[in-house]
Amino acid sequence: MNRRLAVLISGRGSNLQSIIDAIQGGAVAASLELVISNRTDVAGLERARAAGLEAIVLSPSDYPDRDAYDAALADLLRRRDIGLVCLAGFMRLVGRPLIDAFPNRILNIHPSLLPSFPGLQAQRQALQHGVRVSGATVHLVTSELDNGPIVAQSVVPVLDDDTVETLSARILVEEHRLYPEAIRRVLEGDWLIEGRRLVRRRP
Ligand code: GAR
């Protein structure tokens, strides 16, 4: 598999940092070719530039509609010969033009044990529901929101006195371990999709 990665962000970029660190430390055999943000002035862009990476802002307001924006993203990623696209706190729905350009080649990380609590404020949803465990999920991106085949998950217990902030912080620690590991698995395996499941093809 083409090991040229792009990471798409919208903010803080702590998951981006964990991917940068894993590649630099040799835990993930890949090259991070490009970081794209849909927002200007976010900390993730600074992290990318500090690591010597190309970091580009692609602003949705410069495009007439969602499809045009996603087509521009796809075009940019194709021109850089990207093999795997990693969404890391990219807070936009990804549409057909991008999904079709990179079928089963887009990963996302989400702060819950999917399929529980998709969408926004997953940690708040978990607390409101009263679940005793939550966690993080890395999955393939499909046209269904937060519902593609699962690559990896990690469980985080919910404590009696947890707030959104404390639970989010503990989940984030797990995310930083999980995402590089999931990327490594995807790059090294020969995968096929059976129903909703991602299954390793045996040689
Ligand atoms: C992470 O917790 C990630 O799971 C979440 O946004 C945060 C980004 O943090 N993503 C979603 O909720 C996507 N639905 P980061 O910018 O520090 O990596």
Side-chain angles (χ1 to χ4, degrees):
M1 181 170 174
N2 172 347
R3 290 170 177 267
R4 292 167 61 84
L5 307 189
V7 177
L8 272 53
I9 60 169
S10 298
R12 176 178 56 186
S14 70
N15 279 288
L16 163 67
Q17 189 68 57
S18 74
I19 296 167
I20 293 171
D21 293 347
I23 291 174
Q24 285 181 348
V28 174
S31 64
L32 182 41
E33 297 292 332
L34 182 62
V35 174
I36 304 175
S37 172
N38 64 324
R39 296 204 188 123
T40 53
D41 299 328
V42 294
L45 286 167
E46 293 310 313
R47 291 180 193 267
R49 289 175 185 141
L53 300 169
E54 185 180 9
I56 294 177
V57 175
L58 216 60
S59 248
S61 59
D62 291 340
Y63 297 87
D65 56 31
R66 182 175 289 281
D67 274 3
Y69 181 76
D70 284 353
L73 271 179
D75 192 48
L76 181 55
L77 294 165
R78 270 209 217 91
R79 275 190 277 128
R80 296 292 203 286
D81 189 27
I82 297 300
L84 186 66
V85 181
C86 302
L87 310 185
F90 186 64
M91 303 308 267
R92 280 180 64 84
L93 281 176
V94 172
R96 273 277 162 219
L98 188 52
I99 292 170
D100 291 346
F102 291 87
N104 300 324
R105 289 286 179 274
I106 308 175
L107 295 177
N108 181 43
I109 188 156
H110 184 78
S112 76
L113 293 176
L114 291 172
S116 290
F117 314 129
L120 293 175
Q121 302 203 0
Q123 302 94 329
R124 184 180 299 279
Q125 293 183 55
L127 286 175
Q128 284 173 345
H129 202 95
V131 293
R132 308 313 303 179
V133 292
S134 188
T137 303
V138 176
H139 64 96
L140 296 182
V141 173
T142 63
S143 52
E144 283 181 87
L145 174 68
D146 294 333
N147 208 10
I150 290 169
V151 177
Q153 289 186 303
S154 184
V155 174
V156 175
V158 178
L159 307 180
D160 288 340
D161 56 355
D162 259 336
T163 61
V164 171
E165 289 70 31
T166 59
L167 178 60
S168 300
R170 289 205 316 287
I171 291 175
L172 198 60
V173 170
E174 277 307 296
E175 290 188 25
H176 296 160
R177 188 191 58 74
L178 188 69
Y179 211 175
E181 172 60 20
I183 292 169
R184 192 189 60 74
R185 288 187 68 202
V186 166
L187 290 174
E188 290 177 2
D190 184 10
W191 301 96
L192 63 104
I193 292 168
E194 284 180 3
R196 289 193 174 280
R197 296 177 58 223
L198 191 65
V199 181
R200 195 161 200 153
R201 205 194 302 266
R202 297 276 163 216

